[in-house]
Structures are given as C-alpha cells and as structure tokens.
C-alpha cells in the first residue's frame, strides 16, 4: 500500500535534467506540508516528493507495525510513483526511517542520504528506559486532549531553542493530528526498537550527510562523533528546515553539487 505523497516538479527549461528526485520524510507529528518553505526554494532545481508517514497526515489510517513494515511502505510508495534516482532527506523520525531504509534496502536508485537531527540508535542498556518513556507518551496521545499533550511535548529539552511563540504556533499546527495514529507510529518506530545504525551508515557507499542546528548540542555531538560529512546551520535548533529554511536550502544545494545532478 503506497503512502500519501505530493509531487512538486522542478521549474526547469525544457530538456533540462532534474534528476535525482529529492524525497522528504517529516518528523513525528508532522506531515508533507512541513517542508513547504524548503520545497518552494529547492523545486527551482529539483523534482521534490514529500511523503506522509504512517499515522500522519493523509496516511493517518495506515498502520506502521514496525521499522520493517514502514520501510516496505516507503519502498512501495517509491515504486508506485515510479521514482528513479533519488536522494532521501529525513528529519528526526524521518531521518531514522531514512537511515534504516538506506541500511536495509539494496537499491541502486538511492543516490544519497541527508539526515537532519536523526538518532543513530541506543545501546542495549538504554533501551528499556526509552521504551517506558515512549509508552507513556503514546498513552497520553491516545487518552488526552492532543493540545494538552503537545503543550508538554514541546517542553522537552530537544526543543529548548524554540521561543514561546514558536511553541504556540507548533501546537496550533499539530493539534489536528490523529492521537491514535501518532501513538501507533511512536511505538512502532520507538528509538528503543531501532538497531544501532551508525556503523552501517559509515560503511555505505552512497554519499551520506548530516545536518544539525547550532543550538542543538545533543545532535551536533552525535553528528560529529560519526564518520559522516556534517553541516551545522546557524540560527537553528533541532528543527533546522523550519527554524532556518534558507540556511537549510543553502546546505542542501551545496550537498547536491557534491552528489551530482
């Protein structure tokens, strides 16, 4: 079953080559519209495909089950949309799905991987505590008003760079999520269930790049500890493409000159 997706075709002169396609995966609580400011800029040069992950947006009724099922759904979507050469760009949860896909799908069509604020995986000793934490959040998303849950969600340390106005805007925007769908995806792709992928990422033969915001010290450290090409973006925390879309696009365009069009 393909996931919901939306194409934005490149604004190029006839005969110009727009390959590879940029494929975007959003984070938890997001949807394809999260990338709009980025797409408005990058679609000047690239065909862009934004996808709603299971439990989110127009894919909210699709059950994720686990990482393997999510990866299969992603693969089926790319085949359904007849995507040929592509570069996968994922944020947070979307980055973790992207890296799992790159490490488990032997796909010659995948030409590059760009990760934004994605965790490589926890050591075994930290996974139980993370599972308990995720189960707690999932229960709240199922049982409580989503606005009240979001008010607490954005108090987490990873979002500390957000201003009060930014938090309020995100809550207003995210309140239309399906709480059950979010809970299903949160548990199916819990960091506690994700294998440690850093070693596999470092062994990939495709170009692999990591983007982090200058205020996101946790993920800056993770990026710099990995043997990947990392790119810091100023005036941004964890959610670089939303907090500084111009800076994000500059980095993407730079990376694409290295990957090659």
């Amino acid at each position: 079953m393909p996931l919901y997706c939306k194409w934005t075709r490149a604004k190029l002169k006839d005969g110009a080559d727009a390959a590879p396609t940029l494929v975007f995966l959003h984070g938890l609580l997001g949807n394809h519209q999260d990338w709009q400011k980025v797409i408005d800029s990058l679609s000047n040069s690239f065909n862009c495909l934004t996808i709603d992950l299971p439990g989110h947006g127009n894919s909210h009724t699709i059950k994720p089950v686990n990482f393997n099922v999510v990866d299969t759904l992603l693969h089926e979507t790319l085949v359904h949309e007849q995507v040929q050469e592509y570069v996968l760009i994922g944020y947070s949860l979307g980055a973790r799905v992207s890296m799992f896909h790159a490490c488990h799908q032997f796909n010659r069509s995948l030409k590059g991987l760009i990760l934004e604020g994605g965790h490589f995986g926890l050591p075994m000793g930290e996974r139980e505590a993370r599972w308990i934490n995720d189960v707690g959040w999932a229960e709240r998303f199922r049982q409580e008003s989503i606005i009240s849950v979001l008010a607490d969600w954005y108090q987490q340390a990873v979002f500390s760079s957000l201003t009060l106005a930014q938090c309020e805007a995100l809550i207003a925007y995210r309140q239309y999520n399906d709480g059950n769908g979010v809970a299903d995806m949160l548990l199916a792709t819990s960091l506690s269930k994700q294998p440690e992928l850093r070693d596999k990422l470092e062994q990939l033969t495709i170009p692999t790049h990591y983007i982090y915001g200058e205020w996101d010290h946790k993920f800056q450290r993770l990026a710099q500890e990995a043997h990947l090409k990392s790119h810091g973006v100023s005036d941004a925390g964890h959610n670089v493409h939303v907090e500084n879309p111009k800076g994000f696009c500059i980095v993407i365009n730079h990376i694409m000159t290295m990957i090659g069009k």
Side-chain angles (χ1 to χ4, degrees):
M1 176 187 298
L3 298 164
Y4 175 85
C5 58
K6 178 183 178 182
W7 281 98
T8 305
R9 301 291 180 176
K11 307 177 184 72
L12 299 176
K13 296 180 180 179
D14 292 343
D17 184 10
T21 296
L22 304 184
V23 178
F24 296 85
L25 301 182
H26 59 78
L28 191 74
L29 295 162
N31 60 54
H32 69 280
Q33 295 177 331
D34 290 9
W35 299 102
Q36 193 57 54
K37 289 184 178 180
V38 168
I39 300 301
D40 289 343
S41 174
L42 294 176
S43 61
N44 288 320
S45 303
F46 303 98
N47 288 327
C48 299
L49 181 67
T50 49
I51 297 176
D52 281 353
L53 290 170
H56 293 72
N58 293 320
S59 299
H60 72 277
T61 60
I62 299 177
K63 298 295 184 180
V65 184
N66 55 38
F67 271 102
N68 285 321
V69 169
V70 173
D71 187 43
T72 298
L73 290 166
L74 172 58
H75 177 71
E76 290 176 352
T77 303
L78 296 172
V79 171
H80 182 266
E81 296 299 317
Q82 299 181 336
V83 176
Q84 301 299 319
E85 297 182 349
Y86 65 102
V87 172
L88 200 50
I89 303 173
Y91 161 65
S92 195
L93 168 61
R96 298 195 289 113
V97 172
S98 298
M99 64 179 79
F100 186 93
H101 176 81
C103 292
H104 291 82
Q105 288 275 1
F106 181 71
N107 190 336
R108 296 183 184 276
S109 298
L110 180 59
K111 298 302 180 182
L113 182 65
I114 302 175
L115 308 170
E116 176 194 352
H119 203 295
F120 303 123
L122 294 173
M124 291 299 297
E126 298 179 16
R127 293 185 184 183
E128 183 178 0
R130 178 58 185 244
W131 176 249
I132 293 171
N133 180 72
D134 287 349
V135 167
W137 281 112
E139 290 177 351
R140 291 194 63 188
F141 276 117
R142 293 191 199 283
Q143 298 172 5
E144 299 179 27
S145 161
I146 195 166
I147 293 179
S148 65
V149 182
L150 290 174
D152 291 336
W153 180 264
Y154 287 111
Q155 294 302 309
Q156 295 181 94
V158 71
F159 301 116
S160 61
S161 67
L162 296 175
T163 65
L164 177 60
Q166 288 173 321
C167 287
E168 290 175 345
L170 281 169
I171 292 169
Y173 179 51
R174 304 297 194 205
Q175 66 176 306
Y176 300 105
N177 273 285
D178 173 16
N180 286 317
V182 171
D184 287 343
M185 188 62 169
L186 177 59
L187 296 181
T189 57
S190 168
L191 191 55
S192 67
K193 295 184 176 182
Q194 177 185 310
E196 292 186 78
L197 296 173
R198 195 178 82 174
D199 289 347
K200 288 186 177 181
L201 288 170
E202 292 173 351
Q203 295 168 13
L204 291 177
T205 57
I206 60 171
T208 304
H209 296 257
Y210 197 106
I211 297 174
Y212 61 87
E214 67 166 330
W215 301 324
D216 189 0
H217 302 301
K218 175 181 177 180
F219 286 87
Q220 178 181 356
R221 175 180 54 79
L222 289 174
Q224 294 176 343
E225 288 175 352
H227 297 146
L228 305 175
K229 294 180 180 177
S230 60
H231 310 264
V233 178
S234 62
D235 299 323
H238 186 58
N239 198 339
V240 179
H241 69 275
V242 170
E243 296 176 52
N244 187 353
K246 181 178 180 180
F248 183 84
C249 290
I250 289 172
V251 173
I252 296 295
N253 280 311
H254 173 63
I255 291 173
M256 292 307 298
T257 62
M258 292 186 280
I259 291 176
K261 293 178 61 177

